[in-house]
Amino acid sequence: MPDLTFTIEAADIERYAMTPTLRFRVAIGASAAIENIALQCQLRIEPMRRAYAGGEHEKLTDLFGERARWGETLKTFLWANVMANVPRFDATAAVDVLVPCSFDFDVAATKYFHGLESGDVPVSMLFSGSVFYRDADDRLQISQISWSHGATYRLSAKLWHDLMNQYYPNAAWLRLDRETFERLYRLKRELGAASFDATLNRLLSVSEAVQ
């Protein structure tokens, strides 16, 4: 199998996607001509590779627990598994790897990105999949790419916040159990509140007054 190398060159917002999506530009080098690559990409976040400000400590307790435990809890975690198709190339190529991003606060990556105020997010991308190439006798061959192939990148936290502000300006999404939603909906009607946001604000005001 030809030797392959991978480098993440850049990241940006995929402007015309139906859902929030980041686009990673991945450069590929090969020691021989490649017919096609069915590329599998596993994207991971490596939180222990950066420092955190005071406000970030508070927000990230929901993900990592109290600050005193971060020596144990700050570990690499999965962000996404995606695929990309790489067409024929001779020695070098570049492919866009599209990564859908969730605004669901039950998802670890959402909690992490939301908790960051500035700086970069250390990420790693592992590569696997199938590579098609021709041998010395011009016969088509197929081999599996080992997960040992990978690349690292420092993604701007601001880019993720800009992405969410583009799709959900001045808004956030919460998933509720159906029973919880029905109780909240009933309270909204009883209060005559104009929106769920107004209903929750009433509840928060009562809670804060009691404290």
Side-chain angles (χ1 to χ4, degrees):
M1 186 185 93
D3 292 329
L4 298 172
T5 61
F6 298 87
T7 305
I8 302 175
E9 295 185 326
D12 203 352
I13 294 173
E14 179 65 16
R15 296 291 176 183
Y16 304 108
M18 293 293 293
T19 58
T21 303
L22 291 177
R23 180 179 66 247
F24 287 82
R25 190 67 169 173
V26 177
I28 306 172
S31 60
I34 301 297
E35 293 295 327
N36 181 270
I37 302 177
L39 192 62
Q40 298 179 25
C41 312
Q42 183 178 100
L43 198 59
R44 299 179 175 187
I45 295 174
E46 301 181 334
M48 59 286 195
R49 290 176 48 212
R50 60 156 286 169
Y52 298 90
E56 293 172 335
H57 290 156
E58 180 182 355
K59 287 184 178 180
L60 291 172
T61 55
D62 188 33
L63 185 59
F64 300 123
E66 294 301 322
R67 180 69 181 87
R69 298 184 56 237
W70 282 21
E72 303 173 4
T73 59
L74 256 66
K75 299 183 184 299
T76 299
F77 63 92
L78 178 66
W79 178 5
N81 283 303
V82 295
M83 298 188 67
N85 182 64
V86 185
R88 188 187 187 282
F89 67 95
D90 289 328
T92 61
V95 62
D96 288 336
V97 176
L98 302 181
V99 179
C101 298
S102 173
F103 207 24
D104 182 349
F105 280 84
D106 286 339
V107 175
T110 303
K111 294 179 183 180
Y112 183 74
F113 279 109
H114 180 73
L116 300 183
E117 298 173 350
S118 61
D120 296 334
V121 178
V123 300
S124 60
M125 191 177 290
L126 301 180
F127 301 98
S128 182
S130 301
V131 55
F132 299 83
Y133 62 97
R134 295 190 179 276
D135 62 16
D137 297 321
D138 200 37
R139 293 175 300 189
L140 186 64
Q141 304 290 323
I142 179 173
S143 294
Q144 294 299 307
I145 302 172
S146 165
W147 280 115
S148 61
H149 293 79
T152 60
Y153 187 74
R154 299 194 74 88
L155 175 70
S156 169
K158 182 178 182 298
L159 189 65
W160 185 89
H161 287 282
D162 289 346
L163 174 66
M164 293 307 162
N165 287 334
Q166 176 179 315
Y167 280 83
Y168 309 111
N170 196 34
W173 293 98
L174 293 177
R175 185 194 66 80
L176 300 177
D177 290 341
R178 187 67 58 83
E179 182 180 350
T180 303
F181 169 77
E182 293 297 343
R183 290 171 62 195
L184 183 64
Y185 194 18
R186 182 168 62 251
L187 179 62
K188 175 181 178 293
R189 298 193 300 270
E190 292 172 354
L191 294 175
S195 65
F196 287 105
D197 188 86
T199 305
L200 289 170
N201 269 306
R202 290 279 294 274
L203 289 173
L204 290 170
S205 296
V206 171
S207 175
E208 290 166 356
V210 171
Q211 293 179 0

